[in-house]
Amino acid sequence: VYGNFNWYQIVADIGNKPWMNSTDRIITTPRHYAYVKISEGCNMPCSYCIKPVLNGPLKSEPIETIVDECRTLAGMGVKELQIVSQNTTDYGRDIYHKPQIAELIDRISDIEGIKWIRLHYAYPTNFPKDLIDVIATKENVCKYIDMAIQHCNEDMLRIMRRPMSKDRLVALLDELKSHNISIRTTVMTGHPGETEEMYQELKDFITQRRFDRLGVFPYSHESRSYSGKHYEDSIPETVKRERALELMAIQREIYNESNLNNIGKRMKIIIDGKNSAGCYVGRPENSTPMADPKIIITSDKTLIPGEFCEAVVTNSLGKDMEGTI
Ligand code: SF4
C-alpha cells in the first residue's frame, strides 16, 4: 500500500506527526549492531530477480546523510555496522556518476566508536578495486565481503544475465583471498538451463574453492522476473532441492574441517547474547549475525552483548564452534 519508502505517510495517516528526522533510528536488532541501508533499487538485469521490479532503479543516499546516520548509531552505542543495499558495490553511481562505496566506507570508518564495519551484497562484475584497499587497510572494516556469485559456469551466468568469465571471477576471488578477506557467497541451483554438467562444475568449484561462508538457494520461478517471462521452469523441484542440499552438505564438511583446524587458536569475538541453553553466543570478525558460524562460549564471568573478548576454540559443532574466554 505504501511502498518501501513512504513510511512517514503511515504515521501521518494514523493521525500523528512524524517524530523522527531522516537520520534518526530505532534499533530493532541487539543494540550493539545495526543495519545501514545505503541505497535502494538496482540497475542490474539478473534474470531470476524481481527486486528491480519491486524497488526500481538504483537510488543512493548521499554520503553525508549516511555518515550522519552512522554517527547517530555510534552515539546510541552501536559498535558494528552491517552495510546493506541491493547492490552495495554500485553505490553512488546514480548521484556521483561512479561507484563511491570505497569513499563511503572510508568516511564511516573514521567515526569514533564504530569497531566493525561489514559489507553485504557486493556484485562481482566490475568490483571496485579501491574498495579492496579500504577493506584491507582500515582496521575497523571487517576483512569480510558478502558477494553472491550465483554460479561459476559461464554459459549459466550468461543465461542468468550476470555475464562474467570464470577466469575473471577466479582472479577476483584470489585477489580478495590474498588480502585475507573472508568471502561469504551465495549460489543458486536449478535455474532454467542448468544442465547436470553445469551443476557438476559448480559442485567442483564449491568443493575446491572452499568458501569461508556459503548460502545455497534452489531457484524459484517468479512470474515477474525475466526468467519468469522468458524461460521455462525446466528443472524439477526435487532436482533443484537435491542439488542445493548436496552443496550445503559439502559446505558443512568445510565448516567442520575449518573448525577442527581452529581448535586451540585464539580469536577476537563479539558477544551477541545467550542461547536458549544459557550459553553465551559470540561471533568472530568473519561471521555476520544470523547466517554465519557462531562460537558458543562457556564462561563464569558475566559477558555483556557488544563486548569484545578473546576466545579459544575448544571444539567443533559442525557449522558452529565451542570455546572459552
Ligand atoms: S540479484 Fe542483486 S544485483 Fe541482481 S538484479 Fe537482483 S538485486 Fe540486483
Side-chain angles (χ1 to χ4, degrees), residues 36-52:
V36 176
K37 189 173 243 189
I38 60 173
S39 61
E40 262 295 354
C42 181
N43 292 345
M44 298 300 165
C46 306
S47 59
Y48 49 83
C49 182
I50 58 164
K51 285 180 189 167

Side-chain angles (χ1 to χ4, degrees), residues 39-242:
S39 61
E40 262 295 354
C42 181
N43 292 345
M44 298 300 165
C46 306
S47 59
Y48 49 83
C49 182
I50 58 164
K51 285 180 189 167
V53 177
L54 297 176
N55 295 346
L58 177 72
K59 189 168 170 293
S60 304
E61 292 285 348
I63 289 178
E64 287 304 332
T65 307
I66 299 168
V67 171
D68 280 352
E69 181 180 342
C70 294
R71 215 176 270 125
T72 302
L73 289 167
M76 294 165 79
V78 169
K79 294 178 178 171
E80 180 181 354
L81 298 174
Q82 315 288 346
I83 305 297
V84 296
S85 73
Q86 261 96 67
N87 178 359
T88 310
T89 34
D90 217 23
Y91 166 78
R93 191 186 288 281
D94 53 326
I95 50 176
Y96 302 112
H97 309 296
K98 60 177 184 179
Q100 285 289 80
I101 184 68
E103 169 72 15
L104 175 69
I105 299 302
D106 194 35
R107 293 275 305 277
I108 294 173
S109 71
D110 291 335
I111 297 172
E112 212 182 315
I114 297 300
K115 305 292 186 200
W116 277 357
I117 302 164
R118 188 181 304 283
L119 268 99
H120 293 274
Y121 315 133
Y123 188 91
T125 305
N126 298 325
F127 191 98
K129 291 299 161 74
D130 51 356
L131 180 60
I132 298 179
D133 294 340
V134 173
I135 297 175
T137 56
K138 287 285 185 164
E139 208 183 318
N140 60 350
V141 180
C142 293
K143 307 293 167 275
Y144 176 100
I145 189 92
D146 179 358
M147 178 180 74
I149 62 166
Q150 301 301 3
H151 217 283
C152 66
N153 176 276
E154 290 179 17
D155 290 333
M156 190 72 256
L157 286 170
R158 191 177 37 75
I159 295 168
M160 286 177 161
R161 306 177 90 210
R162 296 171 58 99
M164 186 170 198
S165 81
K166 195 170 181 181
D167 286 350
R168 281 178 50 203
L169 176 61
V170 167
L172 174 60
L173 295 173
D174 286 347
E175 189 173 357
L176 292 165
K177 266 283 151 213
S178 74
H179 288 92
N180 290 322
I181 298 171
S182 289
I183 301 168
R184 171 178 179 80
T185 199
T186 309
V187 296
M188 185 183 291
T189 56
H191 186 282
E194 188 188 50
T195 62
E196 185 58 32
E197 290 72 30
M198 289 170 177
Y199 168 68
Q200 287 300 327
E201 187 179 331
L202 179 62
K203 183 176 151 186
D204 291 345
F205 196 70
I206 297 298
T207 307
Q208 286 155 17
R209 288 264 5 150
R210 300 176 66 82
F211 286 98
D212 301 283
R213 281 85 178 85
L214 177 74
V216 187
F217 296 94
Y219 170 76
S220 162
H221 202 58
E222 300 291 340
S223 59
R224 285 180 289 170
S225 68
Y226 182 92
S227 298
K229 288 177 181 158
H230 296 88
Y231 302 145
E232 189 192 335
D233 189 12
S234 55
I235 313 290
E237 292 300 321
T238 49
V239 174
K240 293 176 193 172
R241 267 201 303 277
E242 276 164 16

